[in-house]
Amino acid sequence: MTADDFGMCHSMNAAIMELWRDQVITSSMIMIPGPWLKQAADYAVHNHEANIGVHLTLTSSFLQYKWKPVTGGTGVESLITAEGYFWGTPAEVELYASEEAVRTECRSQIEAAIRLGIDPTHLDSHEGSLLGLAGGRDFLELAFDLCEEYQLPFKLPRKIVDQPFLSPYMRELFRSRIASADRRGIPLIDDLLILPYEQNDGEEYADVKREIVKAIQEMSGGITELVIHPSRDSAEMRCLTPSSAKREMEYHMCMDPEFWKLLEDEDIRLISWKTIRDGMRLAK
């Protein structure tokens, strides 16, 4: 079970750190360009149970809460707007970003994590900007190069090829990328569970809980990652998203005894990305 967007804001950091302290989550993904990175990184360094992956970030989607590349100097101009921030959407990344700029910035984020004292467990893509879902231009082979370089797994679910929204072209593209990861010895997961980010009108905790219970009961075998976006429903978070209350619902869901009883009843064993990474390295 993985908490997303560690380092994005204080409200998310507070919730994620509480979940780590209570040993509820098994992994988290840190946003190196995030405005609250330092707090998240300091926690990870001083709490070794905090298994942290690098959430490779190339988009800054909030209208008035922005972040920039961590790469110093020149070479990543194609990743930013005229104001100097990351593009707002994955579609813009696909349209404007050069492959070399993406490679440079992704490596910079990994190196920055290591300099902060983080021992990364895996790589993944914030808002899927490396996956090509918006327009069919992906950066996965580049990401796999970095996985080989740093001996890290990548979060790409094999069952993505079964998604009904994919075009035939994208389905074949993902099949080829999965085959490439297998040839390179880069571990992937089998499936991904993630709640819709936006809160529907009238959606309450019971609705969120019902949805995740149904998804867990329908899970098949293999390695499935449950991704949550826990936060406190604070004034800060309400400034960022109208779905702030749902972020706190996901936090409470993780603490719900009935949720943990469900995992036990379904014979689900929790592992971390560190387990997957260490297995990858032993196999080399």
Side-chain angles (χ1 to χ4, degrees):
M1 186 157 57
T2 301
D4 205 357
D5 297 341
F6 200 22
M8 192 188 83
C9 64
H10 178 264
S11 301
M12 293 198 76
N13 280 3
I16 291 171
M17 290 187 295
E18 287 177 19
L19 293 177
W20 275 122
R21 282 194 290 266
D22 291 341
Q23 300 181 357
V24 172
I25 53 176
T26 57
S27 294
S28 188
M29 300 176 289
I30 197 165
M31 293 177 64
I32 298 301
W36 279 82
L37 164 70
K38 193 62 169 65
Q39 182 189 43
D42 285 351
Y43 182 86
V45 168
H46 293 101
N47 295 272
H48 296 297
E49 77 280 3
N51 303 308
I52 306 292
V54 179
H55 200 38
L56 298 172
T57 301
L58 300 176
T59 53
S60 184
S61 56
F62 296 109
L63 291 178
Q64 294 180 324
Y65 186 66
K66 295 292 185 181
W67 40 81
K68 303 178 179 184
V70 301
T71 302
T74 60
V76 294
E77 292 85 355
S78 63
L79 301 182
I80 57 176
T81 66
E83 295 179 326
Y85 301 110
F86 282 125
W87 296 108
T89 66
E92 291 169 302
V93 175
E94 290 185 42
L95 185 61
Y96 298 118
S98 73
E99 183 169 312
E100 192 52 42
V102 171
R103 185 186 302 273
T104 297
E105 176 62 17
C106 288
R107 178 178 283 109
S108 293
Q109 292 182 23
I110 298 167
E111 288 292 332
I114 294 170
R115 284 196 302 274
L116 286 166
I118 294 169
D119 181 20
T121 58
H122 66 294
L123 302 179
D124 88 328
S125 174
H126 178 60
E127 297 186 335
S129 55
L130 298 175
L131 304 187
L133 291 169
R137 183 185 177 217
D138 76 303
F139 299 95
L140 282 171
E141 292 294 350
L142 173 161
F144 292 163
D145 290 344
L146 295 170
C147 287
E148 285 194 294
E149 182 177 344
Y150 292 93
Q151 287 293 284
L152 298 172
F154 190 84
K155 189 180 82 176
L156 177 67
R158 295 177 182 276
K159 290 188 178 180
I160 194 170
V161 298
D162 298 329
Q163 293 299 319
F165 61 80
L166 290 182
S167 67
Y169 168 78
M170 287 303 300
R171 190 166 284 108
E172 287 306 311
L173 177 70
F174 282 124
R175 286 195 180 108
S176 70
R177 298 301 187 243
I178 291 168
S180 174
D182 289 342
R183 287 193 300 271
R184 294 169 180 247
I186 299 168
L188 307 176
I189 58 174
D190 296 297
D191 207 355
L192 178 68
L193 296 183
I194 185 169
L195 289 167
Y197 188 85
E198 302 300 331
Q199 184 174 0
N200 296 322
D201 289 342
E203 187 175 28
E204 297 181 350
Y205 175 71
D207 304 308
V208 172
K209 182 177 174 180
R210 189 180 307 112
E211 186 173 358
I212 199 62
V213 165
K214 182 175 183 291
I216 289 173
Q217 289 174 334
E218 294 175 352
M219 274 172 45
S220 54
I223 298 176
T224 298
E225 182 181 34
L226 171 60
V227 176
I228 57 173
H229 296 90
S231 176
R232 289 305 196 183
D233 184 16
S234 63
E236 175 196 43
M237 202 66 189
R238 289 191 291 274
C239 286
L240 302 185
T241 173
S243 300
S244 175
K246 187 171 183 179
R247 308 279 68 78
E248 187 163 86
M249 291 176 196
E250 293 192 28
Y251 164 79
H252 286 302
M253 182 193 71
C254 296
M255 310 292 282
D256 191 324
E258 291 183 2
F259 171 77
W260 288 94
K261 180 65 164 54
L262 171 67
L263 298 184
E264 181 180 344
D265 290 345
E266 295 293 319
D267 197 25
I268 292 171
R269 182 170 66 92
L270 294 181
I271 64 171
S272 73
W273 276 100
K274 182 177 184 295
T275 303
I276 299 172
R277 182 203 64 185
D278 291 352
M280 171 190 184
R281 292 178 177 178
L282 283 172
K284 292 295 182 179

